[in-house]
């Protein structure tokens, strides 16, 4: 499988516009690097402003083309179920591509495909359930609402879960009858392009799904300021989110939804099941190399159990198998790029300089085949103080900051003391405390006695500077529809 994929990648990968692969107008290229080897994987054509125009034109035309706009809800549902089936049937191929392009383990890459397929299946189920309401009013009128597609959607996604982040946006957009222009990260465009091929194979009409790999400042910015794009759905950093809002304000006030970063706390009280808490805290930060928006990057632990918990975590970190993403027992692959690696190393240095205590990892992993990849040992800091940089800023890598507290109030104060509010967790056997703390956490999601609960049906998104709007669940339908209210004089 891997050899065949690598052979296919020898040819430069082209854009996907109006139902077909095509050359970029300016013939610009992006070199795609395998993070585990540091060597070129393939080249991808880079979309620039003229390509964005073509993709938006195709999406605009498709929006009112009867092939899409008159497709019955039942047919649209079946189409989405077919996409889900094809994704699942190709799980190994897509997972391999993701591992080669992102550096995550093959296991993680294949693991991303199931929830991606499930997003299409789940939102396929919504197509026939998107009804409006009849509203009693003061007068002799019949008043009803219709939920209409919001229009042409620009979808801008990051590199950490390239296929899954695309699926979380494309699936609800299609369910609502929108058309899309998807801009994957310049680092990881390969599975997004495959998703476009799969949509075509499933029977999605031309122009409904377009995929334009390209640099953020070029393709992304052109999409964000395009006057014929009705909505931007974005997952990525706070800095980029600001530029998207400015672009919207300066163009056509397109709607914007945002899934941004986090500095998420996992709080452990003294009565918690410490083994369960250690496991959750460990995988919460080290899964997918810590390149996870919902990573449990801050462990807040009661002083009385801190030593016991840190001991467990350090032992697990020292045992963790880092290296070749394709070996079956590898638990952590390579960071996405040299740039990201350097950024994470700079945070580690900052942590040491500011006085935190490094108790695991902190250095590059270079054994054997890993010598040229961007591998890092799982890293743990204790004695982290709340004002330190590594307690405040999102590192987006395998670095855990451990802070201690003495009581519930202090735990809450620490938990809520960053600009972010994406997810949080509380570990305790005290049911009242669990719900009390959940209520007071400034966070879009709270997990009690677990980490990383995700389901297509459960809303996900952030409070404070972690985002606007909620993806997944029926909440995402609000992002891709607008309500029309119709009055009939009786
Ligand atoms: P990023 O903001 O640099 O890039 C994200 C996407 O935006 C990429 O496709 C990029 O090309 C594009 N982009 C960059 N500059 C742009 C511009 N000026 N105009 C338009 N588009 C532009 O983020 P990243 O480094 O790729 O991803 C990491 C960030 O994403 C982290 O902060 C992480 O927490 C966040 N993230 C959040 C979630 C979530 O669901 N909340 C999920 C994954 C990642």
């Amino acid at each position: 499988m891997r050899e065949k994929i690598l052979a296919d990648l020898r040819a430069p990968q082209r854009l996907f516009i109006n139902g077909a692969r095509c050359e970029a107008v300016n013939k610009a290229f992006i070199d795609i690097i395998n993070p585990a080897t540091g060597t070129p994987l393939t080249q991808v054509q880079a979309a620039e402003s003229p390509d964005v125009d073509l993709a938006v034109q195709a999406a605009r035309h498709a929006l009112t083309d009867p092939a899409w706009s008159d497709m019955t809800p039942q047919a649209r549902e079946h189409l989405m179920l077919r996409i889900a089936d094809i994704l699942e049937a190709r799980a190994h191929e897509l997972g391999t591509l993701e591992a080669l392009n992102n550096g995550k383990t093959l296991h993680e890459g294949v693991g991303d495909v199931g929830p991606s397929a499930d997003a299409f299946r789940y939102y396929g189920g919504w197509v026939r359930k998107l009804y409006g309401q009849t509203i009693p009013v003061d007068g002799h009128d019949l008043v009803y609402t219709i939920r209409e597609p919001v229009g042409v959607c620009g979808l801008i996604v990051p590199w950490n879960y390239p296929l899954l982040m695309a699926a979380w946006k494309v699936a609800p957009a299609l369910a609502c009858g929108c058309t899309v222009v998807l801009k994957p990260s310049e680092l990881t465009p390969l599975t997004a392009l495959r998703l476009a091929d799969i949509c075509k194979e499933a029977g999605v009409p031309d122009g409904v799904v377009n995929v334009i790999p390209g640099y953020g400042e070029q393709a992304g910015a052109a999409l964000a300021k395009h006057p014929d794009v009705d909505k931007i759905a974005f997952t990525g950093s706070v800095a980029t989110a600001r530029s998207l809002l400015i672009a919207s304000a300066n163009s056509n006030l397109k709607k914007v939804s945002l899934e941004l970063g986090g500095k998420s706390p996992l709080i452990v009280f003294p009565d918690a099941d410490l083994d369960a808490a250690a496991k959750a805290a460990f995988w919460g930060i080290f899964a997918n190399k810590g390149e996870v928006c919902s990573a449990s990057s801050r462990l807040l632990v009661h002083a009385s159990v801190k030593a016991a918990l840190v001991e467990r975590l350090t032992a697990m970190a020292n045992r963790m198998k880092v290296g070749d993403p394709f070996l079956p027992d590898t638990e952590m692959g390579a960071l996405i790029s040299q740039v990201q690696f350097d950024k994470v190393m700079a945070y580690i240095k900052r942590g040491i300089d500011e006085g935190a205590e490094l108790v695991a990892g902190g250095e590059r992993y270079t054994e054997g085949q890993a010598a040229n990849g961007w591998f890092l040992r799982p890293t743990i800091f204790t004695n982290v103080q709340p004002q330190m940089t590594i307690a405040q800023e999102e590192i987006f890598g395998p670095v855990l900051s451990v802070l201690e507290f003495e009581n519930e109030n202090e735990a809450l104060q620490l938990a809520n003391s960053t600009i972010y509010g994406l997810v949080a967790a509380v570990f305790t056997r005290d049911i009242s405390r669990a719900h009390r703390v959940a209520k007071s956490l400034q966070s879009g999601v709270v997990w009690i006695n677990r980490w990383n609960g995700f389901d297509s049906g459960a809303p996900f998104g952030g409070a404070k500077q972690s985002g606007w709007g909620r993806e997944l669940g029926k909440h995402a339908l609000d992002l891709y529809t607008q309500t029309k209210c119709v009055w009939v004089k009786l």
Side-chain angles (χ1 to χ4, degrees):
M1 170 70 77
R2 194 159 27 137
E3 280 60 39
K4 182 175 176 320
I5 289 174
L6 288 170
D8 289 347
L9 291 176
R10 275 194 212 117
Q13 308 291 298
R14 296 185 296 163
L15 316 182
F16 188 97
I17 297 178
N18 206 21
R21 292 295 191 115
C22 61
E23 303 281 324
V25 173
N26 293 336
K27 309 265 183 300
F29 282 99
I30 305 170
D31 288 315
I32 303 297
I33 308 293
N34 178 342
T37 60
T39 54
L41 188 57
T42 186
Q43 283 192 318
V44 170
Q45 297 224 334
E48 294 178 353
S49 195
D51 308 290
V52 174
D53 286 342
L54 291 172
V56 173
Q57 253 173 43
R60 175 60 58 192
H61 177 78
L63 189 67
T64 49
D65 186 331
W68 182 238
S69 59
D70 285 357
M71 186 182 281
T72 65
Q74 194 174 27
R76 203 155 80 225
E77 175 183 341
H78 288 168
L79 189 61
M80 294 189 60
L81 298 181
R82 272 201 298 282
I83 297 172
D85 289 344
I86 302 174
L87 281 168
E88 266 175 0
R90 304 241 182 104
H92 194 69
E93 173 196 343
L94 290 161
T96 303
L97 209 48
E98 207 77 308
L100 285 168
N101 192 176
N102 168 280
K104 62 178 71 194
T105 65
L106 176 63
H107 178 69
E108 288 169 327
V110 174
D112 291 351
V113 183
S116 304
D118 192 60
F120 282 93
R121 205 161 273 138
Y122 173 80
Y123 285 107
W126 269 110
V127 178
R128 288 196 273 166
K129 301 173 188 98
L130 274 172
Y131 19 75
Q133 296 171 318
T134 52
I135 298 169
V137 294
D138 185 14
H140 298 289
D141 298 270
L142 165 66
V143 177
Y144 63 93
T145 61
I146 305 171
R147 296 189 77 168
E148 295 186 334
V150 77
V152 173
C153 299
L155 314 177
I156 303 179
V157 295
W159 41 259
N160 59 341
Y161 287 93
L163 179 66
L164 186 61
M165 292 299 100
W168 279 14
K169 291 177 171 41
V170 175
L174 296 190
C176 296
C178 297
T179 57
V180 306
V181 178
L182 168 65
K183 197 211 81 66
S185 164
E186 55 273 33
L187 299 174
T188 54
L190 301 181
T191 46
L193 286 166
R194 286 298 156 97
L195 176 62
D197 295 335
I198 287 170
C199 289
K200 166 113 183 156
E201 187 183 331
V204 173
D206 293 351
V208 172
V209 173
N210 305 275
V211 179
I212 50 159
Y215 290 103
E217 299 73 26
Q218 293 176 8
L223 198 55
K225 67 175 186 217
H226 202 292
D228 213 18
V229 171
D230 300 299
K231 180 208 162 63
I232 292 285
F234 172 69
T235 296
S237 63
V238 171
T240 305
R242 285 186 209 285
S243 76
L244 298 177
L245 295 175
I246 291 168
S248 165
N250 289 339
S251 56
N252 59 343
L253 286 181
K254 54 178 69 65
K255 291 155 185 62
V256 179
S257 53
L258 304 170
E259 293 289 356
L260 309 177
K263 190 73 189 173
S264 299
L266 185 151
I267 309 172
V268 182
F269 285 99
D271 63 343
D273 173 343
L274 279 197
D275 287 330
K279 214 166 145 194
F282 186 82
W283 290 108
I285 182 64
F286 298 127
N288 208 55
K289 328 149 239 171
E291 294 170 346
V292 183
C293 55
S294 59
S296 53
S297 51
R298 287 185 302 149
L299 173 62
L300 313 184
V301 56
H302 190 271
S304 65
V305 288
K306 182 181 144 196
L309 197 56
V310 169
E311 191 187 317
R312 282 172 170 80
L313 288 167
T314 312
M316 289 166 90
N318 291 337
R319 275 200 309 269
M320 192 177 204
K321 181 100 176 41
V322 179
D324 184 347
F326 285 91
L327 290 178
D329 58 345
T330 298
E331 294 172 304
M332 185 157 76
L335 303 201
I336 183 71
S337 66
Q338 173 91 57
V339 170
Q340 186 66 14
F341 183 85
D342 291 346
K343 188 180 142 201
V344 175
M345 289 307 288
Y347 274 116
I348 292 173
K349 181 171 180 314
R350 192 91 182 253
I352 295 167
D353 290 348
E354 289 181 12
E357 187 185 345
L358 182 68
V359 292
E363 79 282 347
R364 188 170 188 158
Y365 175 78
T366 53
E367 268 174 44
Q369 304 280 6
N372 297 317
W374 298 300
F375 295 94
L376 180 62
R377 296 279 330 156
T379 298
I380 303 177
F381 280 102
T382 60
N383 296 338
V384 177
Q385 302 306 312
Q387 74 288 353
M388 287 181 182
T389 310
I390 60 166
Q392 290 295 326
E393 295 186 14
E394 183 184 41
I395 298 174
F396 219 56
V399 181
L400 176 66
S401 298
V402 183
L403 294 90
E404 74 176 55
F405 63 84
E406 296 287 349
N407 57 51
E408 187 177 311
N409 275 347
E410 195 191 352
L412 271 171
Q413 209 179 357
L414 282 175
N416 292 336
S417 70
T418 75
I419 60 164
Y420 296 110
L422 189 57
V423 301
V426 46
F427 279 75
T428 177
R429 287 190 170 98
D430 178 340
I431 190 168
S432 304
R433 166 176 274 162
H435 290 287
R436 196 166 59 231
V437 170
K439 186 163 181 276
S440 301
L441 283 166
Q442 297 165 349
S443 183
V445 178
V446 177
W447 291 306
I448 295 175
N449 292 328
R450 63 165 299 154
W451 190 264
N452 258 351
F454 281 95
D455 189 281
S456 300
F460 176 77
K464 301 199 284 188
Q465 292 187 39
S466 288
W468 288 3
R470 293 291 178 270
E471 294 200 292
L472 302 179
K474 93 187 208 316
H475 299 69
L477 302 170
D478 296 337
L479 305 182
Y480 297 97
T481 53
Q482 55 194 339
T483 300
K484 178 180 278 173
C485 186
V486 182
W487 288 65
V488 187
K489 182 112 195 103
L490 297 180

